[in-house]
Amino acid sequence: KNEVEQSPQNLTAQEGEFITINCSYSVGISALHWLQQHPGGGIVSLFMLSSGKKKHGRLIATINIQEKHSSLHITASHPRDSAVYICAGAFLGNEKLTFGTGTRLTIIP
Amino acid sequence: DAEITQSPRHKITETGRQVTLACHQTWNHNNMFWYRQDLGHGLRLIHYSYGVQDTNKGEVSDGYSVSRSNTEDLPLTLESAASSQTSVYFCASSDNTDTQYFGPGTRLTVL
């Protein structure tokens, strides 16, 4: 069964802290997606990766295929980073995405 | 600018009524998806389409239907709305690179 699990479910941190959100998946994937859902509800795709690491501004996404694990890191966190972060896997042989339940991140000024 | 829109943004209806949620994208993407989002669950796929006249069931398709008569639109119909279908509905589209672009969502309440 294709499953995606995220941890932690909720994360509160002080402004400036380094943030790590974890995602593990059950079987082989063709791609792993990270998305951000703003407090207003809109969903934005942050990264799609199948190996290695990607960086965009203060956000870094990594994936370890052997360990079936991905992490999303935020450096120098800011209150505007407060959102729900969702990982999703595109499993091999299945082009549809399976989503994790999300990590609610709150950055306190 | 290309975009994906949903309408209405909010809808209140009664059980047993037929409801149609609209999704329109101007990216000319072949792939379109409908999801629902509920507390305690990740986004769950309702229906999807890989092109005109193509529709497929997702993991939670019971009570829903879609049709794809053109590239831009994938309306979602609730044939007979039930309280269990109260949810936030997201439409998304993608090209063959797999990154999905999401609409703003429709909050549906079934009383």
Side-chain angles (χ1 to χ4, degrees):
Chain A
K1 184 180 176 183
N2 299 337
E3 291 182 337
V4 175
E5 292 188 359
Q6 290 185 236
S7 63
Q9 283 191 318
N10 295 282
L11 178 57
T12 300
Q14 294 286 341
E15 183 175 356
E17 287 189 36
F18 181 82
I19 303 298
T20 297
I21 299 170
N22 297 300
C23 177
S24 60
Y25 50 91
S26 56
V27 295
I29 60 169
S30 59
L32 191 288
H33 298 247
W34 282 101
L35 307 102
Q36 180 191 54
Q37 185 168 24
H38 299 290
I43 298 174
V44 175
S45 180
L46 297 174
F47 296 104
M48 182 181 69
L49 65 166
S50 55
S51 64
K53 179 170 75 173
K54 287 190 175 180
K55 184 176 188 292
H56 181 70
R58 294 180 294 105
L59 273 60
I60 303 166
T62 64
I63 189 168
N64 185 315
I65 299 297
Q66 287 73 29
E67 295 185 3
K68 298 185 178 61
H69 181 269
S70 176
S71 293
L72 177 68
H73 306 286
I74 305 174
T75 62
S77 59
H78 189 276
R80 64 175 176 266
D81 297 325
S82 298
V84 175
Y85 292 85
I86 302 168
C87 71
F91 288 90
L92 292 171
N94 184 347
E95 296 174 6
K96 304 180 294 296
L97 294 180
T98 298
F99 293 82
T101 54
T103 294
R104 183 175 298 278
L105 175 65
T106 303
I107 303 298
I108 299 171
Chain B
D1 286 346
E3 61 178 356
I4 179 166
T5 58
Q6 293 183 232
S7 62
R9 296 293 311 278
H10 302 271
K11 174 77 176 176
I12 300 173
T13 190
E14 296 176 342
T15 56
R17 291 191 180 268
Q18 184 182 77
V19 176
T20 296
L21 309 182
C23 175
H24 179 81
Q25 52 97 4
T26 58
W27 276 299
N28 202 37
H29 286 164
N30 284 324
N31 306 332
M32 296 185 73
F33 308 84
W34 273 105
Y35 299 96
R36 60 178 289 173
Q37 186 179 42
D38 305 286
L39 280 175
H41 292 91
L43 288 156
R44 290 183 291 174
L45 183 64
I46 304 171
H47 281 285
Y48 61 102
S49 169
Y50 289 147
V52 176
Q53 303 300 334
D54 175 74
T55 61
N56 306 279
K57 293 182 178 181
E59 63 177 299
V60 291
S61 60
D62 287 349
Y64 304 94
S65 63
V66 293
S67 61
R68 187 88 179 272
S69 59
N70 58 55
T71 300
E72 296 80 16
D73 299 288
L74 186 70
L76 176 72
T77 298
L78 287 67
E79 301 294 344
S80 177
S83 57
S84 60
Q85 295 176 308
T86 292
S87 186
V88 180
Y89 292 85
F90 287 95
C91 177
S93 71
S94 73
D95 59 15
N96 291 331
T97 65
D98 296 327
T99 296
Q100 293 193 13
Y101 298 87
F102 286 80
T106 294
R107 185 175 296 275
L108 176 68
T109 302
V110 183
L111 301 175

